[in-house]
Amino acid sequence: MMSRPTLASSRRRIILSSFCITSRLIKTISVLFLVAIHKPTTASETSASGHSFSEKSANSCCIDHPIHVWTSCGTSKQHQEEQQPSFSSSSVRIIQSLRAGEQRARQQTQPAQEERLSNFALATAGATATMVGDAIMQPMDCIKTFQMSEQGSGMNIWSAAKYIFQNYGGLPGFYSGSLVYCLSDGFAGSLKFVTFEALKQKFMSSSSSFLCAAVAGLVYVAAIVPGELIKQKLQMNQIASASEGILQIYSTSGILGFFTGFTGVCLRAVPYTMIELGLYDWIKKWYTAIIIAKRKAQENNRAQLTPKELIVIASMVGGIAGYLTTPLDNIKTKIMLNSSKYSSTSNNGPIVAIIACARDMIESSNANHGGRRGVRSLFDGGVARVAWLMPFTAIYLPLYESIQRYMLKARSSVH
């Protein structure tokens, strides 16, 4: 007779123990869920909730088993009091470990969110990189401008270089207008990069990079046209100095004369900047996502393009953008160098002047070369333009990013 109650009580204890274990599992899962949805519970709240949950569990045991209440409830309460400290401490340890992992994840992602310099620093980096690239590639730019002029139309690179060397004062002739252009292009480049980075930061998508680059190209054009005009007149010996060119343009055409060929420059610079910065940014993202991600996993650090990879991408983008926009650059150059010829047509609208210039280029090419060139005349100086822009972009775009990285590193070392 005594064995049956003992057996029944043993079964109840087994059931109670199983219920307690199940309640612990449910509580642990709930803690994990709260942390996962970023609503972590404090240690005191966890302890309090655990205590109330344990009491409810014990009370539910007592209600469900009215027989031998004093045995089951007493055992349950004693068991909960003994196990509660260890259960609360284990819950706290779980929460602390999860919070520590979340904090490490934030620390790894935080630099990527804050890796943007001030507008002044971006302008400094953009201006420095642009002026360095201009100074190095100025001779090739001079050859390209001469090939696009009426005097050098149809000449190859070597013939144009030889003519400039023999008739424009030797080696210094290749650097005519370099100071004016470096300063004006540096200023325009600073505005271009600041605009591009600000818009790109606001619109975080790969397709928006091209639209951001287009807006940056418009800002660039507004700043570069006066310096571009004076530079080309200096390169073609139409003026002796920059001061003479400024006085001549102002006396003949006023302030608006400094923006001669503005529409032509927009027609060239906006598509070029879209291809240059937009394609450059897109290729970097694509290359980083597909190839550099493997390197990041292997080296356990953030994915970052090497200088050699940046140079290859930049030179490729510069060559593509340069050749595709050669006809637009040809039209812009001829309108700037022959402003008196196209002034009457420009009164009817800039598009009329652009069409008239393109028609004149094709017709004069057909007359001079027996009708064998035609539309190909629009690509005069295309090889020189590619030979100028490939090294130029390979210099100034990676240099711009290197200056940015140096500034970010210096800022992080200070903080």
Side-chain angles (χ1 to χ4, degrees), residues 179-233:
L179 180 60
V180 175
Y181 184 68
C182 284
L183 293 176
S184 61
D185 197 34
F187 174 70
S190 65
L191 297 180
K192 176 179 72 175
F193 281 110
V194 168
T195 304
F196 179 69
E197 295 290 348
L199 293 176
K200 190 175 69 173
Q201 188 77 11
K202 186 174 182 180
F203 305 101
M204 301 292 292
S205 65
S206 57
S207 59
S208 65
S209 296
F210 292 92
L211 297 178
C212 296
V215 177
L218 287 173
V219 176
Y220 172 82
V221 169
I224 193 59
V225 170
E228 178 84 5
L229 179 63
I230 295 174
K231 178 208 72 170
Q232 291 186 345
K233 289 183 176 293

Side-chain angles (χ1 to χ4, degrees), residues 145 149-151 168 176 229-241 244-245 248-249 333-340:
T145 303
S149 66
E150 292 184 354
Q151 192 176 7
Y168 290 171
S176 297
L229 179 63
I230 295 174
K231 178 208 72 170
Q232 291 186 345
K233 289 183 176 293
L234 284 169
Q235 287 178 340
M236 296 298 101
N237 277 343
Q238 293 183 358
I239 54 178
S241 63
E244 178 186 341
Q248 183 186 54
I249 294 171
T333 300
K334 284 181 169 55
I335 291 176
M336 281 186 164
L337 295 178
N338 301 280
S339 57
S340 58

Side-chain angles (χ1 to χ4, degrees), residues 3 28 43 74 114 121 204 210 229 232 243 254 279-280 299 330 353:
S3 60
T28 304
E114 293 184 354
M204 301 292 292
F210 292 92
L229 179 63
Q232 291 186 345
S243 58
L279 188 60
Y280 179 70
E299 298 178 0
N330 254 317

Side-chain angles (χ1 to χ4, degrees), residues 319-337:
I320 295 172
Y323 191 76
L324 291 179
T325 56
T326 296
L328 306 177
D329 192 37
N330 254 317
I331 294 171
K332 180 268 303 179
T333 300
K334 284 181 169 55
I335 291 176
M336 281 186 164
L337 295 178

Side-chain angles (χ1 to χ4, degrees), residues 359-374 377:
R359 185 176 62 248
D360 290 345
M361 289 172 61
I362 296 173
E363 291 176 354
S364 63
S365 174
N366 289 334
N368 296 333
H369 299 276
R372 292 173 297 177
R373 299 185 71 234
S377 62

Side-chain angles (χ1 to χ4, degrees), residues 245-314:
I246 293 172
L247 293 175
Q248 183 186 54
I249 294 171
Y250 183 76
S251 60
T252 56
S253 304
I255 296 295
L256 295 178
F258 291 99
F259 294 91
T260 301
F262 179 84
T263 305
V265 178
C266 283
L267 189 65
R268 177 213 67 177
V270 173
Y272 174 80
T273 307
M274 284 182 67
I275 299 172
E276 181 197 44
L277 295 183
L279 188 60
Y280 179 70
D281 190 65
W282 182 82
I283 292 178
K284 283 196 309 176
K285 290 179 180 178
W286 170 81
Y287 189 80
T288 302
I290 295 179
I291 299 176
I292 305 300
K294 298 180 181 179
R295 183 189 307 165
K296 177 183 177 182
Q298 294 173 357
E299 298 178 0
N300 195 22
N301 56 8
R302 294 186 61 226
Q304 194 175 55
L305 294 172
T306 63
K308 291 182 180 179
E309 291 167 337
L310 291 174
I311 290 173
V312 171
I313 295 174

Side-chain angles (χ1 to χ4, degrees), residues 392-406:
F392 173 73
T393 52
I395 292 170
Y396 100 105
L397 287 179
L399 181 60
Y400 168 72
E401 297 214 18
S402 298
I403 295 174
Q404 274 190 301
R405 292 178 183 179
Y406 176 78

